[in-house]
Structures are given as C-alpha cells and as structure tokens.
Amino acid sequence: MVLALFSYRASVGTTEILEHSISPALLRRARSIAAEHEKLTRSVQNEYNSQTAKKIGELSQVTEALEDWETANKVIPLDVLCQVRNLTYLQSITELQQLLRDPSTDTELRSLATEEIEQTSSTLPTLFTSLQTTLIPPDPFSSLPCLLEIRPGAGGSEAGIFVGDLLRMYEAYCKRHSLHFQVLKLDSSSTSKSARLAEIQEAILEISTPSAYRLLKCEAGVHRVQRVPATETQGRTHTSAASVLVLPSFPDEQSGSGGEELGFDDPNSDYYISPSDVRTDVMRARGAGGQHVNTTDSAIRLTHIPTSTVVSIQDGRSQHKNRQKAWQVLRAKLAQSRREAREEEKARLRVSVVGVARMGRGDKVRTYNWGQQRVTDHRSGLTLNQLDNVLEGGESLDEIMESVRVWQRDRDLEALIADEEAEVRTAKKKGRLCG
C-alpha cells in the first residue's frame, strides 16, 4: 500500500514522533515538476505566451504542495523554538529529536522542542496527502458533466428490475447533491404496472452539472445483486447483475460551447468523429405508449462503422433532438473507449514490469445483498449494513464512493511510482544516470 509510506511510531519517552517519508520516485517527480515550473516562470517573464502561462498554472499545485511539505518536513526556523546564538535553522525534525535525546538539554528547551515537534508533525499527514494527490495526472474528463449508462447483465428479468433500482439510486443521489439530471434514454420491455418491477433494457442518465464525471466515475463496473425475486415462489436467493458505464458528456456541436476547444474537428483528438465513418438510420419509434410511437420517423440510430458502436435514441418527439442526443452519446462512448485503450496498454506494460494492474469496466465492483442488508465494494473492501440508505442515495452511498476514490488514488500512485522507477531503470541502462 502506498499509504504505508507514511506511518507513526512512539519514541523519546511519551512523545509521539512522526516518521515522515515519501517514495523517492514521487519526490523525484515532484522536484522535477518544480524545476520545470521555475524554468517556465523565468521564460514567461521575458516573453509572455498563453500556452506557457497555462502550463505554469497546471504545475503550480505540485510546486506549492512540495514547498509546503519540505518547509514543514525539513526546515524549521530556530527562532520559533528558542533563541540560540550562531544557529539559523534546524534542518529537520530529526535534529529536534536529537535535541530531546541529549541529557544536557534543559527543561524549558526540551518542552519547546516537544511542542514544536507535535505541532509540525500534526500538519505533515495533510501535507503528505496533498503532495501525493497533486502528483497524480488530472483526468482529462474530470471537469465535464457525465452520462450514466445502465444495462442488465446476467440474471434475466431480475437484472432488468435491478437496473431500475440503480437508476433510482443515482437519481436520489443527484437530488441530494443538487446535481442537475435528466433521463436521456429509458428502454423498457416490461408491461408491469409497478415502476419498481419494470424490466429496463437500457437507461441513460445525463448529469449536466460540471465535474459530475469526477464525482461518479467511481461507479463504473458490474454491480451484483443477491435477493429473492418477486417472481420466485420457493424463496430461493438469485444472483443477478447490471453494468454501469460512466461516460464524459460533451457539448453538442450546434451549441458551439466547447467543441472547438475539445477538438471535435481535430483528427488527432479523442473527441473527433469523421462523419463518413458514421451511418445514420432514421426509423419509426418503437415501444409502448406515446402518440409519436409508430407514427413518425423520429427515431435515430447511429453506427460507427470502424468500431461497430451503435447508439439508438427515440425518446424525443423531434428527430432533430434525437439526432443531437445520439451524437452526444456516440462521441462520449468513442472518447472513453480511446482513452481506456491507452490506459489498458499502459497497464499491460506495468504488469509485465512490476505487476501493477487495474480493474476494468467488466470487473465486479459491488454487491448488494438484500437478505443481509449489506453492501460490499470489492475495490476498497468496505462493507456497510446500510442497504436501504445506499439505495436511497444517502450518506452511506457517499461513504462507499469516497472509499473507492481513496482506493483509486492509491492505485494511481502505485502506477505513478512504477512509471518513475521504470524510467530511472531505463535511463541507467542507457548510461544517462550513475548507479
């Protein structure tokens, strides 16, 4: 565990001393970024460049976090501790510890040293976590709204009913956090009069609040349910599943809000789709209810020919609006797929070198057990016996989601350390670094 790099240990009588250490690979990366920040800052003073200024802003968080950590960890002004001639700084908490171990240290100085250690040590865990977090490369989709696509997996009709449970859970979560949302697509093959027993084949929930992707990306994966279905006559527990896909939501091209910046027209961009690669089929809406069903050609189906990705939208009465929604979903799916392909390639390289793996969208991530009123997240390992509160989108769901974010941060740090160490080994082999 990366967090094991940071620990506490009792020493020097009853004083709790903090052993503060950070991975050399992470520290090397932080100092390299700080050096680049300083170099770019000097260059922009001579000649302003907007791209350079933007890069400086991106690096400043790491630089500031490193400065705060090193200040607390290494350099403590002596006048904060006491007045001693001919000395300007104590270079580390280790020297304070040595001061405490020295039997000749008087009582007043010992008390001041102990107090300073406690005050400084109490800030180090926060600074340590901050430094680690800023070193993780930001997700390019973090600031965007998102789409939640929920589909039934194994389990027949019960899986379709579970899709409805998850959809309502995320709607309740959005309401509690004041996130703006709408159901973009809802395909149901059920004729049940009860909404809770309706079998849903596909549901897409659009959360249009900025940074919704950052909040909800931890929900991607296979969610498993264990319960006695309403149709079960012998009381047997069945296991079913539903898949949740979290996609970034991009502005539509007609709105002109952000498409150019994201690179909709740049063939090298993840967000680019060549119109010639997409086949558009117009058809009549199908399904139950609605005056427009089977009467107007409002349904749109887009097929991205190179990847065989298909998106169908028929929920709106307007063909034009259905077309916009379909393009929005298609662009999101392809951008996410391209990014995941790069991440999987990196993961394969890491596994071959240092054994650092990652969970993909097809992995089982969470189990909801009705009989035990239990929810277990298989990534963070957290188990809560608060099933009802989770399904209501309550504080228990917040707790589970935060545990997954912490788990993901640790995995990202492990991958970061692996990449840094691999680069050092490669450089040494090429003779650029001394052993």
Side-chain angles (χ1 to χ4, degrees):
M1 289 289 292
V2 174
L3 294 182
L5 295 171
F6 199 64
S7 60
Y8 294 87
R9 185 175 68 183
S11 64
V12 192
T14 59
T15 304
E16 191 78 7
I17 302 300
L18 182 67
E19 285 191 341
H20 42 287
S21 65
I22 189 169
S23 162
L26 291 182
L27 196 56
R28 182 167 52 246
R29 182 178 181 85
R31 287 172 175 162
S32 174
I33 290 173
E36 183 182 0
H37 179 272
E38 183 180 358
K39 180 180 177 181
L40 292 176
T41 301
R42 287 198 303 266
S43 68
V44 83
Q45 288 174 348
N46 298 326
E47 182 179 355
Y48 180 80
N49 180 283
S50 60
Q51 291 297 321
T52 303
K54 181 179 178 181
K55 182 68 173 178
I56 291 172
E58 293 172 353
L59 301 180
S60 62
Q61 279 190 316
V62 176
T63 303
E64 291 169 5
L66 176 65
E67 183 178 343
D68 291 342
W69 184 84
E70 288 191 326
T71 298
N73 189 54
K74 289 189 174 182
V75 183
I76 305 170
L78 189 61
D79 57 6
V80 173
L81 182 63
C82 61
Q83 297 296 327
V84 178
R85 292 182 179 179
N86 302 324
L87 291 177
T88 307
Y89 293 99
L90 290 178
Q91 292 302 312
S92 68
I93 290 180
T94 301
E95 294 190 23
L96 283 171
Q97 295 173 6
Q98 292 172 351
L99 192 63
L100 290 175
R101 294 189 186 99
D102 187 349
S104 65
T105 303
D106 62 54
T107 304
E108 183 180 1
L109 186 56
R110 185 181 298 276
S111 175
L112 289 168
T114 301
E115 181 181 349
E116 183 61 30
I117 287 177
E118 290 175 349
Q119 289 178 355
T120 304
S121 297
S122 67
T123 65
L124 283 172
T126 301
L127 296 174
F128 179 82
T129 301
S130 175
L131 178 56
Q132 287 188 125
T133 303
T134 57
L135 283 170
I136 299 172
D139 190 307
F141 302 147
S142 285
S143 63
L144 294 173
C146 74
L147 304 174
L148 283 181
E149 180 185 88
I150 314 172
R151 292 174 174 267
S157 60
E158 176 64 14
I161 295 173
F162 183 48
V163 169
D165 293 328
L166 292 177
L167 176 61
R168 286 185 289 275
M169 179 181 77
Y170 291 125
E171 287 177 328
Y173 174 87
C174 290
K175 287 178 182 177
R176 196 167 64 82
H177 287 277
S178 300
L179 304 177
H180 299 289
F181 68 93
Q182 66 170 330
V183 177
L184 201 64
K185 180 178 182 180
L186 186 63
D187 282 353
S188 175
S189 62
S190 176
T191 57
S192 173
K193 294 182 180 179
S194 171
R196 292 191 173 276
L197 294 179
E199 297 173 26
I200 298 175
Q201 301 305 308
E202 181 183 14
I204 299 180
L205 187 68
E206 180 184 23
I207 300 98
S208 56
T209 302
S211 299
Y213 182 86
R214 177 179 57 81
L215 288 175
L216 290 159
K217 68 177 182 178
C218 59
E219 293 301 287
V222 175
H223 294 237
R224 185 177 68 169
V225 58
Q226 296 173 327
R227 64 183 174 189
V228 179
T231 55
E232 172 59 50
T233 59
Q234 299 182 24
R236 293 173 298 187
T237 298
H238 290 222
T239 298
S240 306
S243 66
V244 176
L245 181 60
V246 183
L247 302 167
S249 179
F250 306 111
D252 62 76
E253 294 172 277
Q254 283 77 12
S255 69
S257 56
E260 183 177 347
E261 181 180 343
L262 289 171
F264 284 2
D265 298 323
D266 180 4
N268 297 316
S269 167
D270 282 345
Y271 317 120
Y272 173 77
I273 301 177
S274 173
S276 62
D277 288 340
V278 179
R279 184 177 70 245
T280 302
D281 297 309
V282 180
M283 63 199 77
R284 295 199 170 182
R286 298 173 298 162
Q291 294 181 358
H292 72 293
V293 173
N294 294 321
T295 61
T296 60
D297 292 330
S298 58
I300 294 292
R301 182 174 63 209
L302 301 180
T303 303
H304 186 247
I305 299 170
T307 62
S308 299
T309 302
V310 179
V311 173
S312 300
I313 297 291
Q314 65 171 30
D315 291 46
R317 295 174 179 270
S318 164
Q319 181 190 120
H320 177 68
K321 289 184 177 179
N322 284 338
R323 188 188 300 272
Q324 284 186 358
K325 290 180 180 179
W327 270 97
Q328 181 185 13
V329 175
L330 180 63
R331 196 181 300 281
K333 285 192 172 188
L334 293 179
Q336 182 84 334
S337 176
R338 290 161 180 167
R339 180 177 167 236
E340 285 181 351
R342 289 197 302 273
E343 289 183 345
E344 288 170 4
E345 178 60 28
K346 288 182 180 179
R348 281 194 293 270
L349 291 174
R350 290 186 189 117
V351 169
S352 65
V353 177
V354 292
V356 177
R358 67 184 289 272
M359 294 186 74
R361 68 167 69 171
D363 292 297
K364 178 183 68 178
V365 297
R366 193 175 299 156
T367 294
Y368 305 74
N369 187 294
W370 254 247
Q372 301 173 10
Q373 285 291 293
R374 169 178 60 82
V375 180
T376 298
D377 195 279
H378 303 290
R379 295 160 295 182
S380 66
L382 178 64
T383 293
L384 296 178
N385 294 100
Q386 300 287 340
L387 176 64
D388 290 342
N389 187 261
V390 170
L391 293 175
E392 291 167 0
E395 291 83 357
S396 296
L397 180 58
D398 289 340
E399 185 177 350
I400 291 173
M401 291 171 69
E402 182 58 28
S403 75
V404 177
R405 294 185 192 107
V406 172
W407 172 86
Q408 186 60 61
R409 184 194 69 193
D410 291 347
R411 301 289 78 73
D412 290 342
L413 286 170
E414 286 179 353
L416 196 59
I417 291 171
D419 289 344
E420 285 294 314
E421 291 177 345
E423 287 182 12
V424 170
R425 284 194 296 270
T426 301
K428 284 183 176 180
K429 286 180 181 179
K430 292 181 178 180
R432 291 202 300 263
L433 294 177
C434 298

